[in-house]
Amino acid sequence: MRRTHASFLAVTGLAVVAAFAAFSCGPRRAPEAVAVEARPAPAAVDLDPRAVARAEAAIARAIDAGLIPGAVLVMGDAAGVRYLRAFGHRTLEPRPEFMTPDTVFDLASLTKPVATAASVMKLVERGKVDLAAPVATYLPSFGANGKDAITVAQLLLHRGGLTPDNALADYADGPARAIERIDALAPRWDVGDAFHYSDVGYIVLGRLVERVAGVPLNVFAHRELFEPLDMDHARFLPPEEWADLIAPTAKEDGQWLVGRVHDPRARALGGVAGHAGLFASARDLARFCRMILGRGDLDGRRVLAPETVEAWTRIHPFADGARTCGFDADTGLSSARGRRFTRRSTFGHTGFTGTMLWIDPEHGVFVVLLTNRLHAGSRSVVPLYREVSTAAAEALLGPEGVLTGIDVLVRDGFAALAGRRVGLITNHTGIDARGRSTATLLHEAENVTLVALFSPEHGIAGRREGKIGDAVDEATGLPVHSLYGETRRPTAEMLEGLDTLVFDIQDVGTRFYTYISTMGHAMEAAGEHGLLFVVLDRPNPIAPLGADGPLADRDRLAFTAYRPLPLTHGMTVGELATLFVSRFGVACDLRVVTMEGYTHRLWFDQTGQRWVDPSPNMRNPTQAVLYPAVGLLEASNLSVGRGTDEPFERLGAPWIDGRELARRLNGAALPGLRFVPIAFTPDASKYKGEQCEGVHIIVTDRSAVAPARTGLTLAWTLHRLYTGDFRAEAVLTLLANRAVQGAWPAAADPAALAETWAKPLAGFRDDRARHLLYP
């Protein structure tokens, strides 16, 4: 019975699942099918040039090794092509010709998803085909010899039990006789029992399109898909005038196949078949991929309904792999996925002639690689697929590693903030793995209303010193309320019209770095005004150092000591927020969007995240390691390297003898560190324009560094060498612990000072353990 379009919208997805269930029963049934939502990227992808270089190098090696004469590589997103380049030669014989970006390739099995499956889904959308119906409903002769129950979905998923290829001799007597012989075949395996890739099944689907549409597959696909999508060179039976654009494949009867399909069965069927026969350029396939990422729409032209694309690209997991109704996802044929695209949400296909495409709808990106490998012989390009796809994915998505809170939020369609009116506390460190700002992402999210921004110390761009006034964000046009100016906590006026505050700022893991105080004060304000507070979690750059040092005294709490924390707390901002609520009584409705792939064993450079200077003088992860020790002394009359190229990696003053200080500090055998005497002249901050002597600090083993011991040993040594010059009393400002401040100047050995804070620190470590969100 013919279905209306409206009924399709209600039941198409269920129809696929119903068909799926019909042939996947008992213990072989895998988890429920996964619907992958394609969301166009809010901003153009910035490609990682190092990953692009790896992809180019892999192609160059394949050419040099004689695996392929040439190739065309395309990378892009829903908004457009981000990279397009031709490599090597289109032809080697009869005369060499360079590859060009507009070269047309024999796509081989890419015909299956690009032409055949897409056409079937177009007919499903129109209510003319039911995925759950037996193929014999539309092709009665196909139902012979035990094939009467095979459904359309089963053929699309390669689970119809049909042979991969029937004998080439079956095609020797012309197309009509070849079809009769296919209809006479019996299933080779139990129907629906397992995945068996089958060209025969897609030949049948091509016939189904012709029978239901009333026109051949090539005519239907061109009229309904390729022409509306401006896929100008996507064609079965390409015209002779295209010959100079087409990459030849192999020789047939002494002649290069140029514009004639390589697959012998497709050629015997007249060049139009459901399994092979389509020719296209890389540009054509890029437009096809973008249409899928646009959920059936490309440049304002809709060729498929969003629901159709969802049903078509829904990944069906089985015990022996996973596919969509036309694309591969996770089988033995998934080399084109590479190592970076995920199994659970990406899909693509390959072709025998050396062609591949892979689509990641979750992140809105794709890669297409077209080679003319058969022109050089028939050596495998599977390793090339894998290497190029991995590099392309890293170029588009960034290196594999930790997903921060904003990465998870974007991946999940901003579900945690859906329908909410948001104020975002952020700065330049609030970016996702692709370098897009959290402010822009929330501003452009359809299901979130971003109302205002709030900036911490150093401002929204992270470049300023001192008090900061309110401003307007250039990118979004939204007001930016300063939380490091006249007030350090959001006021009622600032919070007007909001129901949620979101925090996304990179911390550095040290108590006196002020971003966590900004978070704490904002949490208090959120609680007082009945707002939800959401933390988008980020790595602690020095997490492996753990919790170390004396806790801040309660009567010394300040903006550099929000709560009684040790010098280094070993927690992420999300974990600290949970501690603030349950241990320190900060009353607010808190939610943390946790990271994925993160553990406290990771240093920042092991997370795969891009380092962005959190503040003007925090310029690399090494400085983050040294900051709790060197920064501890900053309130004294000591230069800690501000105004030089290496803040926190050096310290000094005009009254210091660098050689003597280095000798004493190396004699203290501080774990993980060495000291080299230097002279430097700061161009800003303390001792601007004055030559200082001091030490450059070399980290030899960051895992061994003891922040509190190091900082107090620095202070103790300076106090012993320069009692009349060094302002020892100023150390209390950031140490924030009177007992330890009273003990360290007179200590016989600074290494023994840890006993003075051992018991409080043990108590904090117990509290910390109960609030950790990651191993």
Side-chain angles (χ1 to χ4, degrees):
M1 184 176 75
R2 178 171 176 155
R3 294 182 179 175
T4 65
H5 180 67
S7 66
F8 161 73
L9 297 182
V11 303
T12 296
L14 295 177
V16 180
V17 176
F20 167 48
F23 62 82
S24 179
C25 303
R28 298 187 63 82
R29 177 69 184 267
E32 197 171 299
V34 179
V36 179
E37 180 183 359
R39 294 185 297 276
V45 173
D46 295 323
L47 299 182
D48 182 335
R50 296 166 299 179
V52 171
R54 288 195 294 273
E56 293 174 340
I59 295 171
R61 286 193 298 271
I63 293 172
D64 291 344
L67 291 176
I68 58 173
V72 178
L73 174 63
V74 184
M75 293 180 268
D77 58 17
V81 169
R82 302 298 164 213
Y83 175 98
L84 170 61
R85 183 178 172 185
F87 300 79
H89 288 82
R90 176 164 55 214
T91 64
L92 297 175
E93 297 181 21
R95 62 185 184 279
E97 294 179 1
F98 287 115
M99 186 71 75
T100 60
D102 59 354
T103 297
V104 175
F105 293 80
D106 179 344
L107 298 185
S109 284
L110 291 191
T111 302
K112 294 178 173 73
V114 176
T116 308
S119 295
V120 170
M121 295 309 299
K122 186 69 177 177
L123 293 171
V124 170
E125 178 177 297
R126 290 178 174 169
K128 294 185 175 182
V129 171
D130 184 342
L131 292 174
V135 176
T137 304
Y138 312 100
L139 298 171
S141 61
F142 173 75
N145 293 324
K147 302 192 300 300
D148 54 303
I150 298 175
T151 66
V152 177
Q154 287 171 327
L155 290 191
L156 287 167
L157 291 161
H158 294 280
R159 303 188 77 84
L162 299 181
T163 185
D165 289 301
N166 56 322
L168 194 55
D170 288 352
Y171 298 81
D173 301 321
R177 186 74 179 109
I179 295 305
E180 290 177 5
R181 288 168 175 155
I182 288 174
D183 285 345
L185 292 172
R188 184 170 175 180
W189 297 279
D190 291 342
V191 174
D193 182 60
F195 166 71
H196 298 288
Y197 188 86
S198 176
D199 281 354
V200 171
Y202 269 76
I203 292 173
V204 173
L205 288 170
R207 290 172 51 212
L208 182 150
V209 171
E210 179 174 359
R211 177 68 60 85
V212 175
V215 295
L217 172 64
N218 61 318
V219 174
F220 185 82
H222 186 266
R223 183 184 73 201
E224 302 293 336
L225 299 167
F226 307 151
E227 191 171 38
L229 291 173
D230 287 337
M231 295 171 62
D232 295 335
H233 289 96
R235 194 79 61 87
F236 290 87
L237 306 173
E240 290 185 7
E241 55 264 32
W242 290 9
D244 289 342
L245 282 177
I246 297 174
T249 51
K251 279 187 175 180
E252 179 75 14
D253 298 327
Q255 298 293 318
W256 288 104
L257 292 173
V258 180
R260 294 176 60 212
V261 61
H262 173 266
D263 184 273
R265 292 168 180 81
R267 200 160 63 245
L269 292 171
V272 179
H275 72 299
L278 183 64
F279 288 73
S281 69
R283 174 189 176 276
D284 296 324
L285 292 183
R287 294 188 66 78
F288 174 80
C289 294
R290 289 178 57 210
M291 177 272 292
I292 291 177
L293 294 176
R295 304 184 71 199
D297 179 273
L298 179 64
D299 299 335
R301 300 180 187 178
R302 180 161 294 285
V303 298
L304 292 169
E307 297 83 0
T308 306
V309 176
E310 180 184 343
W312 179 22
T313 61
R314 179 181 289 117
I315 294 175
H316 297 273
F318 296 86
D320 57 351
R323 289 187 69 91
T324 84
C325 286
F327 294 97
D328 188 35
D330 184 21
T331 70
L333 304 176
S334 302
S335 58
R337 188 184 64 240
R339 295 179 293 275
R340 181 70 171 88
F341 289 125
T342 66
R343 287 176 167 82
R344 64 178 179 79
S345 61
T346 71
F347 47 81
H349 217 282
T350 61
F352 181 78
T353 52
T355 60
M356 61 146 280
L357 62 82
W358 209 264
I359 304 171
D360 182 346
E362 185 174 287
H363 296 99
V365 299
F366 67 87
V367 58
V368 175
L369 176 66
L370 303 180
T371 80
N372 52 348
R373 77 172 183 104
L374 295 181
H375 192 55
S378 58
R379 295 167 67 186
S380 173
V381 290
V382 166
L384 178 65
Y385 289 160
R386 186 174 291 114
E387 191 170 0
V388 170
S389 182
T390 300
E394 290 176 349
L396 291 160
L397 304 176
E400 187 172 12
V402 172
L403 294 182
T404 63
I406 183 59
D407 295 324
V408 172
L409 186 72
V410 171
R411 185 199 65 194
D412 294 344
F414 303 94
L417 299 178
R420 307 200 72 88
R421 295 179 59 81
V422 170
L424 174 64
I425 306 165
T426 193
N427 62 7
H428 62 300
T429 67
I431 59 173
D432 73 350
R434 293 162 63 186
R436 301 173 298 177
S437 77
T438 301
T440 299
L441 290 168
L442 294 184
H443 185 60
E444 296 182 356
E446 294 182 358
N447 53 346
V448 179
T449 301
L450 183 61
V451 177
L453 302 176
F454 298 78
S455 66
E457 184 180 3
H458 306 298
I460 198 77
R463 295 192 294 263
R464 299 178 59 185
E465 299 286 359
K467 284 189 175 182
I468 296 167
D470 295 343
V472 174
D473 180 53
E474 183 177 340
T476 64
L478 294 172
V480 181
H481 303 298
S482 173
L483 299 180
Y484 199 77
E486 296 305 316
T487 181
R488 295 190 177 178
R489 56 185 288 141
T491 64
E493 183 180 4
M494 293 175 180
L495 299 176
E496 187 174 352
L498 306 180
D499 57 28
T500 305
L501 277 178
V502 175
F503 183 90
D504 187 21
I505 298 176
Q506 179 63 58
D507 183 46
V508 300
T510 299
R511 180 186 65 218
F512 46 78
Y513 204 67
T514 63
Y515 295 158
I516 60 174
S517 294
T518 296
M519 180 179 72
H521 288 306
M523 291 172 65
E524 294 172 11
E528 291 166 5
H529 293 87
L531 275 63
L532 173 67
F533 195 89
V534 177
V535 177
L536 303 180
D537 213 3
R538 290 189 172 273
N540 180 334
I542 60 171
L545 295 181
D548 182 58
L551 276 61
D553 294 336
R554 288 193 172 271
D555 65 352
R556 297 293 303 178
L557 298 183
F559 202 60
T560 52
Y562 175 69
R563 287 292 185 269
L565 301 176
L567 184 64
T568 62
H569 44 72
M571 304 178 80
T572 69
V573 289
E575 292 169 332
L576 280 173
T578 66
L579 184 76
F580 291 170
V581 170
S582 66
R583 178 67 178 84
F584 296 127
V586 176
C588 76
D589 182 6
L590 172 67
R591 298 179 194 175
V592 177
V593 179
T594 56
M595 295 179 281
E596 293 187 5
Y598 179 72
T599 79
H600 287 283
R601 297 184 297 275
L602 295 177
W603 296 95
F604 190 90
D605 54 276
Q606 296 170 329
T607 66
Q609 290 290 317
R610 182 185 309 181
W611 175 267
V612 177
D613 299 351
S615 56
N617 287 283
M618 188 65 62
R619 300 175 186 170
N620 59 55
T622 297
Q623 291 171 5
V625 170
L626 294 171
Y627 179 68
V630 178
L632 182 65
L633 312 186
E634 190 163 11
S636 72
N637 56 336
L638 194 69
S639 169
V640 294
R642 293 183 187 270
T644 76
D645 292 336
E646 297 177 320
F648 307 112
E649 294 182 68
R650 59 178 63 179
L651 57 86
W655 37 267
I656 288 177
D657 179 336
R659 289 183 177 84
E660 179 63 17
L661 180 60
R663 186 182 69 80
R664 292 288 191 99
L665 291 174
N666 286 324
L670 289 168
L673 302 174
R674 291 290 292 170
F675 299 86
V676 177
I678 58 169
F680 61 93
T681 303
D683 60 18
S685 194
K686 289 176 185 169
Y687 304 120
K688 176 182 177 180
E690 296 184 55
Q691 180 167 308
C692 300
E693 284 196 27
V695 293
H696 174 73
I697 308 172
I698 300 173
V699 178
T700 59
D701 181 359
R702 61 185 174 183
S703 297
V705 172
R709 175 183 170 184
T710 299
L712 290 172
T713 299
L714 291 173
W716 184 87
T717 304
L718 288 165
H719 180 59
R720 288 297 176 98
L721 288 175
Y722 310 106
T723 303
D725 295 301
F726 179 58
R727 290 184 54 227
E729 71 280 0
V731 174
L732 176 62
T733 301
L734 297 179
L735 182 63
N737 186 294
R738 292 187 186 278
V740 177
Q741 176 67 20
W744 73 260
D749 180 1
L753 288 168
E755 296 176 5
T756 64
W757 64 75
K759 186 174 180 180
L761 180 61
F764 175 83
R765 286 172 172 168
D766 289 341
D767 283 339
R768 172 183 177 272
R770 288 190 288 269
H771 292 86
L772 293 183
L773 302 174
Y774 313 97

